[in-house]
Amino acid sequence: GCVLVVSVIEQLAQWHNSTVKAAMERLCNYIPGKYQIIHHMLCCYCYREMNADVVCHSLKLCKQDPGQPLCHLYAPPKVSWFSTFFKATDCGSFTGFSSVCAFPLLANLCEKIKYVMRHKLPFEDFDGDKFSTFPTLRGYHWRGRDCNDKNTTVYPGRRPDNWDVKSDSNCNGIWGVDPKDGIPYEEKFCKGADSQGVVLLGDSAGAHFHIPPEWMTVMQMSAKSFANLPMAFTDELDWPQFSEITGFLNSTIGGWTDSLYLRLRRRNRCNHRDLQNISQNGITYFPTNTAVYLSFSLARSQLLDNPAIVIYATIGNDVCNGNRDTLAHMTTPKEMLSNVMQALRYLDSRLPKGSHVILTGLVDGRFLWDNLHDRYHPLGQLNRDITYSQIYSFLDCLQVSPCSGWLTPNETLRNLTSERALQLSNVLKEIARSEKFANFDIFYMDFPLRQTAEEWHKMGGEPWQLIEPVDGFHPSQIAAALGTRITWQKVLHEWPQVLGRENPFNDQIEAIFKDQGGH
């Protein structure tokens, strides 16, 4: 992080033909007030123009452990590292995330982030029903918006209470009685309509991890570039509101939004707000403590709630890690089988009867290196000096690579990683073929990367545009939207019972909404 920030400051100075100090002040002015910690981090950089790696080692944000290589993104300085560091020893040190949280203006926010990441629940949830009226901090960007945060029996996804004659108990906006015939609107429009929600249990791809490229592309940088920084930070750099499964807002990060939730809502307007994105950056497919993880996070009652379509998809983390001996840290087929079955048994104890579970196979991540390694990273576009291959090597050296097995010039290792991913996908495929559960049926589908690339090629696009530009690892907004279309077509043609019937009253519901001003 330090190397990236210092690099941006250096490039800002170059782009605006200014001093480094002026560039740092410019960047500070771009960033919303309470996030202006850069000045504290880089005080000595104003007076001593140094390589970004040298600055960060001098501040002790980067270090070289005994017996480990010296990790650097840029070419080493002409003089020795030792003498360069020695000259910078008066810069002080900055000891990492705990010190960031020591800043008074950030301390409270850090505590909120830690709570949210630990529990995967909305931070602001006054009635404790796992739904919120606040967007970020695991609020309604992640789950349907609560319509009464003072009543634990009112939340998205429940079956209506007495057909919602007096109030909207399931937050789908449909309640009251039609004065023409005395029939409750919920009964008239939603009875027998196969209402159901969508739940994603996933990883950072499902959460839709994204770092805006304009944050580090100085040619595009302005105060407007960082306007979304507070929201992004409090959503863990995830954008579930635009994601493939639970997206519901128009994308502001490029591409367009298309999601399984939006399509289910169009198919049946009674499904409004019934969504949950229970994804976590870095989670493996089915961790050994899955039951605990789900019991904390999943909001579904067999007695009170509608059925749900559960998409269980962590598309790479079981083979992706940042360890030097990456193969030894991959999930084995035996572990996969055990953990998946544990998770499915728990779901069978919680999901209402008539639910569906779709297991998604792992991606073939060789696509990443093949399409990005020789392209310039956003940080290297100004001087055409930093490729994705260099970024991957830098992260791998630091042992924080999102996937050492795929983001590597070692073709043999890339192939072995894909081989393990295929083995784990075959475990999921066999489970879907052979296992039966009381409260849901179960299906398997391959991750549709090949079909997505083919569809995008037909539209005139390039393969690299399907990958997040900053991290060079996650699916982009375009990939998410196209993936939705492909997934929907497959389910519609092969398992139409999963999607339920199309509600013939959708137009009437929308017409009443317009007449009543959207209420």
Side-chain angles (χ1 to χ4, degrees):
C2 177
V3 169
L4 295 179
V5 171
V6 174
S7 299
V8 166
I9 292 173
E10 187 178 65
Q11 291 184 23
L12 274 172
Q14 178 185 346
W15 181 248
H16 293 282
N17 194 25
S18 70
T19 64
V20 171
K21 182 176 181 179
M24 190 176 78
E25 293 299 332
R26 182 186 298 272
L27 182 58
C28 284
N29 289 332
Y30 287 165
I31 295 174
K34 64 182 179 179
Y35 295 86
Q36 291 183 10
I37 60 174
I38 296 173
H39 182 78
H40 300 275
M41 292 172 57
L42 305 171
C43 55
C44 67
Y45 188 56
C46 300
Y47 311 106
R48 202 178 275 111
E49 296 191 27
M50 298 182 290
N51 176 295
D53 295 306
V54 175
V55 172
C56 295
H57 277 272
S58 302
L59 291 169
K60 298 182 175 60
L61 269 169
C62 297
K63 60 176 181 164
Q64 181 183 15
D65 291 330
Q68 297 296 323
L70 182 65
C71 302
H72 55 92
L73 183 59
Y74 296 91
K78 295 178 181 178
V79 296
S80 70
W81 283 96
F82 178 80
S83 62
T84 309
F85 293 159
F86 183 78
K87 292 176 182 178
T89 53
D90 61 331
C91 291
S93 65
F94 192 86
T95 54
F97 188 74
S98 61
S99 294
V100 173
C101 289
F103 285 101
L105 290 173
L106 287 180
N108 187 46
L109 184 60
C110 283
E111 287 305 310
K112 286 187 176 183
I113 294 292
K114 290 176 183 177
Y115 175 92
V116 166
M117 294 178 69
R118 186 162 59 245
H119 295 288
K120 318 295 181 300
L121 292 173
F123 180 79
E124 294 195 5
D125 176 18
F126 297 108
D127 57 13
D129 59 8
K130 302 183 181 180
F131 295 89
S132 177
T133 59
F134 189 75
T136 62
L137 292 168
R138 293 279 167 166
Y140 67 76
H141 282 173
W142 299 82
R143 302 164 184 259
R145 184 172 182 168
D146 203 341
C147 54
N148 186 340
D149 209 17
K150 297 179 180 179
N151 187 338
T152 190
T153 65
V154 175
Y155 55 86
R158 68 158 293 168
R159 292 196 295 271
D161 179 18
N162 191 31
W163 293 114
D164 285 357
V165 170
K166 295 183 178 180
S167 63
D168 188 6
S169 67
N170 55 18
C171 301
N172 68 0
I174 303 171
W175 64 281
V177 175
D178 189 337
K180 297 177 182 177
D181 53 24
I183 300 175
Y185 286 118
E186 181 85 43
E187 181 180 5
K188 175 179 287 190
F189 296 141
C190 301
K191 183 178 182 179
D194 295 339
S195 298
Q196 58 184 338
V198 59
V199 178
L200 173 64
L201 307 176
D203 57 6
S204 53
H208 206 31
F209 186 86
H210 167 79
I211 299 175
E214 57 269 25
W215 287 4
M216 55 186 65
T217 309
V218 297
M219 301 88 81
Q220 304 172 8
M221 194 175 293
S222 67
K224 185 179 179 181
S225 305
F226 294 94
N228 55 15
L229 179 63
M231 181 186 70
F233 186 39
T234 50
D235 266 337
E236 305 162 47
L237 292 178
D238 295 322
W239 309 72
Q241 67 273 31
F242 308 141
S243 65
E244 178 176 348
I245 303 300
T246 63
F248 63 95
L249 295 177
N250 291 331
S251 173
T252 60
I253 57 174
W256 64 98
T257 301
D258 190 4
S259 72
L260 180 59
Y261 163 73
L262 284 177
R263 288 178 177 248
L264 281 172
R265 185 186 180 281
R266 284 197 295 268
R267 190 172 181 85
N268 180 4
R269 177 59 182 72
C270 300
N271 293 331
H272 181 54
R273 292 192 184 178
D274 195 356
L275 64 100
Q276 297 179 57
N277 190 319
I278 308 174
S279 297
Q280 177 186 349
N281 297 339
I283 196 170
T284 53
Y285 203 106
F286 293 90
T288 54
N289 63 345
T290 297
V292 176
Y293 169 70
L294 290 179
S295 64
F296 248 128
S297 306
L298 180 64
R300 215 67 180 180
S301 165
Q302 286 186 329
L303 296 178
L304 298 176
D305 297 346
N306 286 320
I309 302 173
V310 177
I311 309 296
Y312 221 140
T314 66
I315 62 174
N317 284 348
D318 282 275
V319 297
C320 285
N321 57 75
N323 295 289
R324 294 270 160 77
D325 53 344
T326 181
L327 291 171
H329 289 81
M330 294 179 185
T331 302
T332 66
K334 183 178 179 181
E335 291 169 336
M336 191 73 156
L337 176 62
S338 174
N339 295 339
V340 169
M341 290 306 300
Q342 177 196 355
L344 293 175
R345 291 187 190 104
Y346 178 80
L347 287 175
D348 202 29
S349 72
R350 289 292 301 274
L351 292 176
K353 196 171 186 61
S355 295
H356 313 279
V357 172
I358 298 177
L359 304 178
T360 303
L362 280 69
V363 70
D364 185 350
R366 290 175 292 192
F367 184 89
L368 302 170
W369 179 269
D370 291 346
N371 290 288
L372 281 186
H373 74 277
D374 56 353
R375 295 188 62 84
Y376 290 111
H377 185 268
L379 204 62
Q381 288 178 6
L382 178 63
N383 296 311
R384 303 181 72 80
D385 59 346
I386 299 175
T387 63
Y388 283 94
S389 177
Q390 290 169 263
I391 291 286
Y392 294 156
S393 295
F394 180 51
L395 297 177
D396 191 52
C397 180
L398 293 170
Q399 298 186 49
V400 294
S401 170
C403 197
S404 294
W406 277 325
L407 308 182
T408 172
N410 187 332
E411 183 179 6
T412 300
L413 182 56
R414 297 199 304 270
N415 291 338
L416 288 171
T417 303
S418 288
E419 182 179 315
R420 176 63 61 86
L422 180 60
Q423 292 171 356
L424 299 182
S425 295
N426 285 336
V427 171
L428 302 176
K429 189 181 298 185
E430 178 59 23
I431 289 173
R433 188 193 66 82
S434 61
E435 297 293 336
K436 304 296 180 185
F437 298 90
N439 291 307
F440 59 81
D441 47 16
I442 186 168
F443 307 92
Y444 168 85
M445 68 175 293
D446 290 323
F447 185 82
L449 177 60
R450 179 182 57 79
Q451 300 95 315
T452 300
E454 291 173 354
E455 188 80 10
W456 184 232
H457 178 72
K458 292 176 185 177
M459 297 171 66
E462 297 289 337
W464 58 268
Q465 294 169 314
L466 299 175
I467 308 168
E468 273 296 314
V470 173
D471 63 60
F473 179 65
H474 292 93
S476 69
Q477 183 66 33
I478 294 171
L482 290 176
T484 296
R485 183 192 304 177
I486 294 165
T487 298
W488 180 269
Q489 290 172 348
K490 178 179 177 61
V491 175
L492 186 63
H493 292 134
E494 297 187 19
W495 318 311
Q497 70 274 24
V498 170
L499 303 178
R501 288 169 288 181
E502 191 161 357
N503 192 329
F505 299 108
N506 285 334
D507 291 341
Q508 286 181 253
I509 296 171
E510 291 299 338
I512 293 175
F513 260 75
K514 290 180 181 178
D515 289 344
Q516 297 184 359
H519 299 290

